[in-house]
Amino acid sequence: EVAQKMKGNKKWLNIVSPVILLIVILICWELYVAVSGIDARILPAPHVILSKLGERFMRDLSGDFLYTIQVILIGYCISIPSGILLAALCSQSKLVTKAITPVLILMVVIPMLTLVPILQLWYGYVMKVRIIVVICQAVPIICLNTLRGFTKVETAKRELFRSMGAGRFKTFVKLIFPNALPQVFVGLKLGCIFSTIAAMSADLAASNEGLGSRISVYSGMLMTDMAYGTIIVVALIGIVLFMIVAYIEKKVVIWIK
């Protein structure tokens, strides 16, 4: 009973402590703006940002919000099976794993902003370009982490399955994939973050639709409060996606155990 109580207190502490830290940061931000007298066009106070965001969200941002959400979700949902399938195929050969790893790392570190103009030459100013950018950013990070999970299963367990007559497919389904699930979910959590970043990069480069383009427009018009507000909306999208994946991980990994 004591152990359960301590576990419950720790759970609440994990939830409350980030909220308290956020409140402290906002209070310090508010006080700094009030005391320093800094120009609101450079750094508006948090209450001004939230007020403007609440006032203008439905009128100015709702369409771009739905557009960006659509890009992120479509790209991410395509990236999940693509990244896991690619990792599963590559994990069957050590040579292929060693060959593809540097390529995946290269794709992760290449700024997706640089690909947008090239893709626009091929496809024009359409949503497909942004979805491709999200896929190009999310698939490598999902694949890298999943591949690590697939290749780190203990040799003794693999040999035990082989001695029991299990083939490659059965070994993968019954042993490798379940054991790799924690690492797979690391890739999925990073994937949703990278998907959000990629969508913003595509928006900033395309400059016609989406929340990223709104940030650029508001900054150019010195509507800094709305620019900060849009950044908050983007951050919330990434946080919510991360929390959803983390919740699914908690349920699935416990069930596997």
Side-chain angles (χ1 to χ4, degrees):
E1 187 178 342
V2 175
Q4 286 182 346
K5 188 175 180 180
M6 289 179 65
K7 187 177 179 180
N9 291 337
K10 186 177 179 182
K11 183 179 178 181
W12 276 107
L13 188 62
N14 290 337
I15 297 172
V16 172
S17 54
V19 175
I20 293 174
L21 178 60
L22 179 61
I23 292 171
V24 170
I25 291 171
L26 291 175
I27 292 172
C28 292
W29 182 351
E30 192 80 40
L31 290 173
Y32 174 76
V33 171
V35 172
S36 66
I38 191 170
D39 192 331
R41 289 173 296 181
I42 297 174
L43 184 66
H47 79 273
V48 175
I49 295 171
L50 295 176
S51 175
K52 278 287 184 182
L53 183 61
E55 177 187 330
R56 303 184 64 154
F57 179 82
M58 291 305 297
R59 186 180 66 192
D60 293 350
L61 285 180
S62 57
D64 293 289
F65 173 78
L66 293 174
Y67 185 90
T68 297
I69 284 285
Q70 191 175 351
V71 169
I72 293 171
L73 290 181
I74 293 174
Y76 183 56
C77 289
I78 293 173
S79 299
I80 293 172
S82 301
I84 293 174
L85 180 60
L86 181 60
L89 294 173
C90 294
S91 67
Q92 302 305 306
S93 168
K94 290 183 178 180
L95 181 61
V96 174
T97 300
K98 290 179 180 179
I100 199 169
T101 299
V103 177
L104 294 172
I105 293 172
L106 182 64
M107 290 183 69
V108 170
V109 300
I110 289 177
M112 289 297 108
L113 193 65
T114 60
L115 294 181
V116 177
I118 298 172
L119 291 171
Q120 284 177 338
L121 289 175
W122 295 351
Y123 301 109
Y125 294 84
V126 293
M127 184 183 286
K128 183 194 295 186
V129 169
R130 304 177 198 220
I131 293 172
I132 292 172
V133 169
V134 171
I135 293 169
C136 288
Q137 186 80 89
V139 167
I141 197 70
I142 293 173
C143 184
L144 271 174
N145 285 275
T146 303
L147 188 58
R148 179 177 176 82
F150 289 164
T151 55
K152 292 299 179 181
V153 178
E154 296 174 24
T155 305
K157 292 182 179 179
R158 292 175 183 263
E159 293 298 331
L160 177 62
F161 264 67
R162 287 199 189 99
S163 67
M164 296 172 66
R168 279 195 172 191
F169 181 75
K170 190 172 183 180
T171 301
F172 180 83
V173 173
K174 297 289 186 179
L175 173 66
I176 297 174
F177 189 77
N179 277 268
L181 271 177
Q183 197 65 37
V184 172
F185 273 102
V186 170
L188 296 183
K189 286 187 286 189
L190 289 173
C192 67
I193 295 171
F194 274 69
S195 296
T196 306
I197 295 170
M200 290 305 100
S201 299
D203 284 349
L204 287 168
S207 298
N208 56 347
E209 288 180 282
L211 293 176
S213 66
R214 277 291 177 180
I215 294 170
S216 180
V217 169
Y218 287 139
S219 299
M221 296 173 65
L222 295 181
M223 296 173 63
T224 319
D225 46 10
M226 283 301 295
Y228 276 102
T230 309
I231 292 170
I232 291 172
V233 173
V234 172
L236 288 174
I237 291 172
I239 291 169
V240 169
L241 286 175
F242 185 92
M243 290 175 67
I244 290 171
V245 177
Y247 177 80
I248 295 171
E249 176 191 17
K250 185 177 178 182
K251 297 298 180 181
V252 170
V253 172
I254 288 176
W255 176 74
I256 290 294
K257 289 179 180 178

